[in-house]
Amino acid sequence: MLTKYLTAVSTAFSPFNARSGKTARNFLALLPPNARSRMAIDVKMFARADVDKPASLSLKFKDGKEMKLDLEKLKLKDIQVEVDRHSRLLKRQEELAG
Amino acid sequence: MPPRLRVAPEQLRNVRPQYVCWQCRHASLASATTPAPPIEQTVQATSPIARYPPSQPPSHKPAEFRKTQLHRQYQSLLRSSPLIVIFQHNNIKATEWAGIRRELTAALNKVDQDVAKEGNNAYTGSAIKLSVVQTGIFTSALRVVEFWEPKFEPESPAIHPSDPKTRSSASVEDTKGKVNDPIFTHGLSRHAWWQAKNKSKTARHGLEPLLSGPLSLLTMPEVSPQHLKAALSILAPSPQSPAPKRRANPGYYEKPVQDGLQKLMLLGARVEGKAFDVEGARWVGSIEGGLSGLRAQLVAMLSGLGAQLTNTLEAASRNLYITVESRRGMLEEEQKGKGGGSNGNDETAAEKAAEKAA
């Protein structure tokens, strides 16, 4: 996954939700070790009682685009595809400009 | 020229004549010396042999694989640590791990010293480890630990394979060379795996959703809230268990430690076999004074109750005693005022007063 063009990641989820919690956690695990020096990462975890509270994952890109991903429907692969689609665009623009 | 010594050829020869096997030299003279079989063997066959030594029972997956050994290790870890805190680690570097572990050990040592001053010399803190686990293998190990009740003391079979009385035609466990023999009651056996797999289809241990992604465990050999609080104040600071101040512990604020801690997420805990979430883990850490503190509270409550009860029961007789004593004092003063008297009079007066009070 291309994480170079991300500037902000904010997510709220319950780790005890087998679907959205897993997806959100695995997305966070994909970010590189020095991610926090390059992007603002905001993680909020719900308690066990709020398992069914809707989880959210919103991303911001360098060009200002904001992406809100539905963790109930999308799985990790789908999120990767979505992020990569926009990141490739930014990469191409960067290559053409410089 | 030195004088020549005369040596007799008989003296040079070995005293004992060498043994010569004439039978071997003449093959035609050799006779077969195979002993006859014992009479028991001619009547009945030899006893069956156990295929596996008791120390090396067969396992579901090949025992020499790393994953098998990790599975065994995780099972033992789960059985021996009643308190396990589960963290997710997102790409933490080796230097950051080293820093985190250093801070954790220092904090736990401090708790150990504090606890030792109070007289508890268990030094639990030295046995607390933060270790990265392989998630899939850990999941399987947890399943076996939760859903499989091992018979640690198997009933000795009626027919023992090494007993000479056992006939070869007898069906003895462990001699068939099958892995799924129910006689094998260790955690790696196929029986254990099968039972755990079957039960996990219906039963739940509560930690299933947490078991994915990169996990690390903080394992404690006993439930010690003081140690848990110290560990959480380092690994996952919160208002209940705040991080150490910069002046008190400058090492904690080094860049690698802080970078690593930002990537370490507290997910939940397993306390005495029960699943807890983040709040639950913090609550266990917030029990004041630990288990001994709880016990002390209980003892204080019970002894207070006892003291109240004895006070109530004693009150009547004590009141009586006080009344009698005061009356006696009064009478003594009266006697003194009269200018003398006998002890007998005093006693009778006191008795009268007691009767009055009663």
Side-chain angles (χ1 to χ4, degrees):
Chain A
M1 194 174 73
L2 288 166
T3 54
K4 201 179 161 189
Y5 302 99
L6 287 172
T7 55
V9 175
S10 76
T11 175
F13 61 92
S14 166
F16 279 88
N17 189 319
R19 194 172 171 93
S20 60
K22 260 188 200 177
T23 317
R25 287 197 295 121
N26 288 335
F27 179 80
L28 290 174
L30 283 176
L31 301 174
N34 57 351
R36 268 156 227 269
S37 59
R38 287 197 273 133
M39 56 182 102
I41 297 177
D42 176 37
V43 180
K44 204 178 163 223
M45 271 192 273
F46 303 143
R48 201 179 176 187
D50 304 327
V51 170
D52 299 325
K53 216 169 166 181
S56 68
L57 173 66
S58 56
L59 310 172
K60 269 187 199 168
F61 288 86
K62 264 187 183 168
D63 64 338
K65 183 189 163 84
E66 288 189 26
M67 201 182 260
K68 284 206 170 178
L69 297 156
D70 184 11
L71 290 176
E72 299 298 325
K73 281 182 191 162
L74 298 175
K75 299 211 89 175
L76 187 65
K77 291 271 179 198
D78 309 325
I79 293 174
Q80 276 180 320
V81 168
E82 290 289 319
V83 172
D84 275 348
R85 185 189 292 161
H86 193 69
S87 293
R88 277 199 303 271
L89 195 78
L90 292 178
K91 193 180 175 187
R92 197 173 303 138
Q93 280 173 2
E94 198 182 62
E95 278 170 0
L96 289 172
Chain B
M1 192 175 163
R4 186 174 285 177
L5 289 172
R6 293 186 74 86
V7 180
E10 281 81 3
Q11 284 177 345
L12 285 175
R13 221 177 270 158
N14 207 345
V15 181
R16 270 166 55 191
Q18 273 185 347
Y19 171 72
V20 178
C21 176
W22 290 104
Q23 213 174 34
C24 307
R25 292 202 175 179
H26 303 281
S28 59
L29 295 177
S31 64
T33 52
T34 314
I39 292 170
E40 289 85 31
Q41 263 187 36
T42 57
V43 177
Q44 62 183 31
T46 48
S47 55
I49 300 163
R51 298 287 171 133
Y52 300 99
S55 58
Q56 294 173 358
S59 53
H60 171 50
K61 296 281 166 102
E64 64 272 21
F65 282 5
R66 180 178 155 78
K67 66 173 173 184
T68 316
Q69 294 308 321
L70 279 178
H71 198 282
R72 189 175 53 78
Q73 191 189 328
Y74 293 161
Q75 278 180 33
S76 125
L77 193 72
L78 282 164
R79 289 222 165 87
S80 61
S81 27
L83 177 48
I84 296 177
V85 188
I86 303 174
F87 291 93
Q88 175 172 350
H89 59 98
N90 297 327
N91 293 320
I92 297 181
K93 289 179 182 171
T95 49
E96 294 164 354
W97 270 125
I100 291 171
R101 291 210 171 100
R102 183 194 66 214
E103 291 306 316
L104 181 67
T105 320
L108 291 174
N109 276 346
K110 202 180 271 177
V111 176
D112 264 352
Q113 284 164 8
D114 290 349
V115 171
K117 273 177 202 161
E118 290 166 14
N120 181 2
N121 287 320
Y123 289 103
T124 315
S126 57
I128 296 175
K129 294 274 181 297
L130 181 65
S131 51
V132 173
V133 291
Q134 300 235 350
T135 309
I137 301 172
F138 180 72
T139 309
S140 174
L142 183 60
R143 213 188 266 165
V144 169
V145 168
E146 286 281 341
F147 298 130
W148 179 63
E149 286 94 34
K151 291 181 285 176
F152 279 120
E153 287 171 14
E155 296 156 18
S156 55
I159 317 162
H160 201 267
S162 59
D163 189 1
K165 282 180 196 162
T166 311
R167 297 180 182 233
S168 65
S169 56
S171 156
V172 184
E173 311 276 349
D174 187 22
T175 55
K176 292 170 214 153
K178 279 184 188 164
V179 188
N180 53 0
D181 215 332
I183 197 175
F184 300 124
T185 51
H186 59 298
L188 291 179
S189 61
R190 182 161 294 175
H191 193 59
W193 165 77
W194 181 248
Q195 275 211 341
K197 193 185 162 210
N198 270 350
K199 274 200 187 169
S200 68
K201 283 176 189 161
T202 50
R204 287 279 169 273
H205 53 68
L207 286 175
E208 286 93 356
L210 298 186
L211 298 174
S212 94
L215 292 186
S216 61
L217 305 179
L218 180 77
T219 49
M220 300 199 183
E222 61 180 81
V223 183
S224 159
Q226 295 117 309
H227 287 97
L228 179 63
K229 191 177 180 186
L232 287 183
S233 75
I234 295 291
L235 299 173
S238 68
Q240 294 162 5
S241 52
K245 289 276 187 297
R246 191 183 285 269
R247 198 173 292 167
N249 191 357
Y252 181 72
Y253 290 92
E254 281 173 10
K255 193 168 183 297
V257 179
Q258 285 300 313
D259 282 356
L261 288 175
Q262 283 178 340
K263 291 183 271 179
L264 198 66
M265 293 185 339
L266 174 62
L267 293 183
R270 180 178 186 267
V271 186
E272 306 275 7
K274 289 192 191 81
F276 280 76
D277 63 348
V278 179
E279 295 304 313
R282 294 228 160 93
W283 171 75
V284 173
S286 69
I287 296 171
E288 283 296 324
L291 266 187
S292 55
L294 278 184
R295 274 188 212 119
Q297 279 181 20
L298 187 68
V299 167
M301 207 171 76
L302 289 175
S303 61
L305 200 72
Q308 270 185 4
L309 191 67
T310 45
N311 267 346
T312 320
L313 291 176
E314 271 177 8
S317 54
R318 193 181 292 156
N319 279 343
L320 176 66
Y321 173 76
I322 289 166
T323 326
V324 170
E325 275 296 307
S326 60
R327 177 70 186 154
R328 183 171 158 184
M330 276 167 65
L331 285 174
E332 270 178 2
E333 274 172 20
E334 277 175 20
Q335 293 263 331
K336 271 178 195 169
K338 280 176 188 173
S342 64
N343 285 336
N345 279 345
D346 262 2
E347 275 173 18
T348 47
E351 277 168 15
K352 273 179 191 168
E355 277 169 16
K356 256 187 199 171

